[in-house]
Amino acid sequence: MNGKNNIAIGFLTMGFFMAYGFLLIYLRDFAPGKEEWINSYSIGKHFETRLAHVHGNLFAFLNILIGYLLIHFRDKLDHVKAISWSALTGLLMPIGILTEVYFGLPPALVLIGAISMTVSVVWLGFAFFRIKSLN
Protein backbone atom coordinates (compact mmCIF):
# COMPACT_ATOMS: atom_id res chain seq x y z
CA MET A 1 0.00 0.00 0.00
CA ASN A 2 2.11 2.83 -1.27
CA GLY A 3 -0.54 4.75 -3.20
CA LYS A 4 -1.10 2.58 -6.28
CA ASN A 5 -4.09 0.85 -4.74
CA ASN A 6 -5.54 4.18 -3.67
CA ILE A 7 -5.52 5.30 -7.30
CA ALA A 8 -6.95 2.03 -8.66
CA ILE A 9 -9.62 1.64 -5.98
CA GLY A 10 -10.35 5.36 -6.18
CA PHE A 11 -11.14 5.15 -9.90
CA LEU A 12 -13.22 1.99 -9.43
CA THR A 13 -15.15 3.57 -6.57
CA MET A 14 -15.69 6.72 -8.59
CA GLY A 15 -17.04 4.65 -11.47
CA PHE A 16 -19.43 2.85 -9.11
CA PHE A 17 -20.78 6.05 -7.58
CA MET A 18 -21.06 7.70 -10.99
CA ALA A 19 -23.16 4.74 -12.16
CA TYR A 20 -25.15 5.03 -8.92
CA GLY A 21 -25.86 8.61 -9.97
CA PHE A 22 -27.57 7.25 -13.08
CA LEU A 23 -29.79 5.14 -10.83
CA LEU A 24 -30.70 8.26 -8.87
CA ILE A 25 -31.58 10.05 -12.12
CA TYR A 26 -33.75 7.10 -13.13
CA LEU A 27 -35.54 7.12 -9.78
CA ARG A 28 -36.13 10.88 -10.03
CA ASP A 29 -37.20 11.09 -13.67
CA PHE A 30 -38.41 7.75 -15.00
CA ALA A 31 -39.29 5.24 -12.27
CA PRO A 32 -42.86 4.43 -11.29
CA GLY A 33 -43.69 6.52 -8.23
CA LYS A 34 -41.21 9.23 -9.17
CA GLU A 35 -43.51 11.90 -7.71
CA GLU A 36 -43.11 10.40 -4.24
CA TRP A 37 -39.34 10.29 -4.74
CA ILE A 38 -39.27 13.94 -5.83
CA ASN A 39 -41.44 15.01 -2.87
CA SER A 40 -38.92 13.51 -0.45
CA TYR A 41 -36.01 15.27 -2.19
CA SER A 42 -34.52 16.90 0.91
CA ILE A 43 -35.44 14.31 3.53
CA GLY A 44 -35.26 10.60 4.18
CA LYS A 45 -33.97 7.94 1.83
CA HIS A 46 -33.55 10.23 -1.17
CA PHE A 47 -31.41 12.70 0.75
CA GLU A 48 -29.27 9.92 2.21
CA THR A 49 -28.67 8.31 -1.18
CA ARG A 50 -27.56 11.66 -2.60
CA LEU A 51 -25.15 12.00 0.34
CA ALA A 52 -23.69 8.60 -0.52
CA HIS A 53 -23.33 9.56 -4.19
CA VAL A 54 -21.57 12.85 -3.41
CA HIS A 55 -19.33 11.52 -0.64
CA GLY A 56 -18.50 8.40 -2.65
CA ASN A 57 -17.18 10.50 -5.51
CA LEU A 58 -15.41 12.95 -3.20
CA PHE A 59 -13.70 10.19 -1.24
CA ALA A 60 -12.81 8.37 -4.46
CA PHE A 61 -11.20 11.55 -5.79
CA LEU A 62 -9.35 12.05 -2.50
CA ASN A 63 -7.98 8.51 -2.77
CA ILE A 64 -6.78 9.19 -6.31
CA LEU A 65 -5.09 12.40 -5.21
CA ILE A 66 -3.62 10.91 -2.03
CA GLY A 67 -2.39 7.89 -3.98
CA TYR A 68 -0.67 10.09 -6.54
CA LEU A 69 0.99 12.18 -3.85
CA LEU A 70 2.10 9.11 -1.90
CA ILE A 71 3.70 7.62 -5.01
CA HIS A 72 5.30 10.86 -6.12
CA PHE A 73 6.71 11.79 -2.69
CA ARG A 74 7.11 8.32 -1.11
CA ASP A 75 10.85 8.81 -0.52
CA LYS A 76 10.28 12.05 1.37
CA LEU A 77 7.14 11.20 3.37
CA ASP A 78 6.77 9.21 6.57
CA HIS A 79 4.05 6.62 7.22
CA VAL A 80 3.08 6.16 3.57
CA LYS A 81 1.40 2.77 4.13
CA ALA A 82 -0.59 3.95 7.14
CA ILE A 83 -1.84 7.04 5.29
CA SER A 84 -2.73 4.87 2.29
CA TRP A 85 -4.72 2.41 4.41
CA SER A 86 -6.44 5.20 6.31
CA ALA A 87 -7.60 6.85 3.06
CA LEU A 88 -8.87 3.53 1.72
CA THR A 89 -10.71 2.88 4.97
CA GLY A 90 -12.37 6.24 4.47
CA LEU A 91 -14.37 4.69 1.63
CA LEU A 92 -16.41 2.93 4.30
CA MET A 93 -18.30 6.19 4.83
CA PRO A 94 -20.31 6.28 1.58
CA ILE A 95 -20.65 2.50 1.65
CA GLY A 96 -21.96 2.81 5.19
CA ILE A 97 -24.55 5.35 4.10
CA LEU A 98 -25.82 2.90 1.49
CA THR A 99 -25.92 0.01 3.97
CA GLU A 100 -27.95 2.22 6.30
CA VAL A 101 -30.44 3.16 3.58
CA TYR A 102 -30.85 -0.24 1.94
CA PHE A 103 -30.22 -2.69 4.79
CA GLY A 104 -31.02 -0.65 7.89
CA LEU A 105 -27.57 -1.19 9.38
CA PRO A 106 -26.30 1.14 12.11
CA PRO A 107 -24.03 4.05 11.12
CA ALA A 108 -20.81 2.48 12.41
CA LEU A 109 -19.24 2.26 8.93
CA VAL A 110 -20.12 5.90 8.28
CA LEU A 111 -18.31 7.02 11.42
CA ILE A 112 -15.29 4.77 10.86
CA GLY A 113 -14.97 5.96 7.26
CA ALA A 114 -15.40 9.64 8.08
CA ILE A 115 -12.82 9.49 10.87
CA SER A 116 -10.38 7.48 8.74
CA MET A 117 -10.55 9.85 5.78
CA THR A 118 -10.16 12.89 8.02
CA VAL A 119 -7.17 11.29 9.74
CA SER A 120 -5.51 10.42 6.42
CA VAL A 121 -5.90 13.95 5.05
CA VAL A 122 -4.62 15.63 8.22
CA TRP A 123 -1.80 13.08 8.58
CA LEU A 124 -0.69 13.69 5.00
CA GLY A 125 -0.81 17.44 5.60
CA PHE A 126 1.51 17.10 8.60
CA ALA A 127 3.76 14.74 6.63
CA PHE A 128 4.18 17.42 3.96
CA PHE A 129 4.94 20.04 6.60
CA ARG A 130 7.77 17.83 7.87
CA ILE A 131 9.45 17.66 4.45
CA LYS A 132 12.53 19.89 4.56
CA SER A 133 12.65 20.58 0.85
CA LEU A 134 10.91 19.27 -2.25
CA ASN A 135 14.07 19.60 -4.35
Side-chain angles (χ1 to χ4, degrees):
M1 287 298 179
N2 61 1
K4 178 184 81 72
N5 288 347
N6 295 79
I7 294 171
I9 293 170
F11 276 115
L12 293 171
T13 302
M14 187 177 285
F16 170 78
F17 279 103
M18 289 171 79
Y20 186 68
F22 286 112
L23 172 65
L24 295 177
I25 290 169
Y26 168 78
L27 291 172
R28 183 193 68 199
D29 294 334
F30 304 108
K34 68 181 181 181
E35 293 79 17
E36 181 182 333
W37 185 258
I38 292 168
N39 289 335
S40 68
Y41 188 75
S42 63
I43 58 171
K45 189 176 186 179
H46 189 161
F47 180 72
E48 296 293 325
T49 56
R50 288 187 357 228
L51 280 178
H53 169 67
V54 170
H55 281 87
N57 281 299
L58 170 64
F59 283 21
F61 177 75
L62 283 172
N63 263 285
I64 294 165
L65 179 62
I66 289 169
Y68 174 80
L69 292 171
L70 291 176
I71 289 171
H72 191 71
F73 296 102
R74 72 176 161 251
D75 297 333
K76 297 179 186 232
L77 293 172
D78 295 327
H79 311 289
V80 169
K81 285 186 185 227
I83 295 168
S84 173
W85 274 108
S86 185
L88 286 170
T89 304
L91 293 172
L92 291 176
M93 182 199 186
I95 293 167
I97 294 171
L98 292 179
T99 61
E100 273 187 85
V101 169
Y102 292 112
F103 303 117
L105 295 179
L109 294 178
V110 177
L111 295 172
I112 292 167
I115 291 166
S116 294
M117 185 57 79
T118 302
V119 166
S120 71
V121 169
V122 171
W123 199 348
L124 186 57
F126 280 118
F128 270 103
F129 265 127
R130 287 193 301 268
I131 293 177
K132 300 289 185 212
S133 172
L134 291 178
N135 296 330

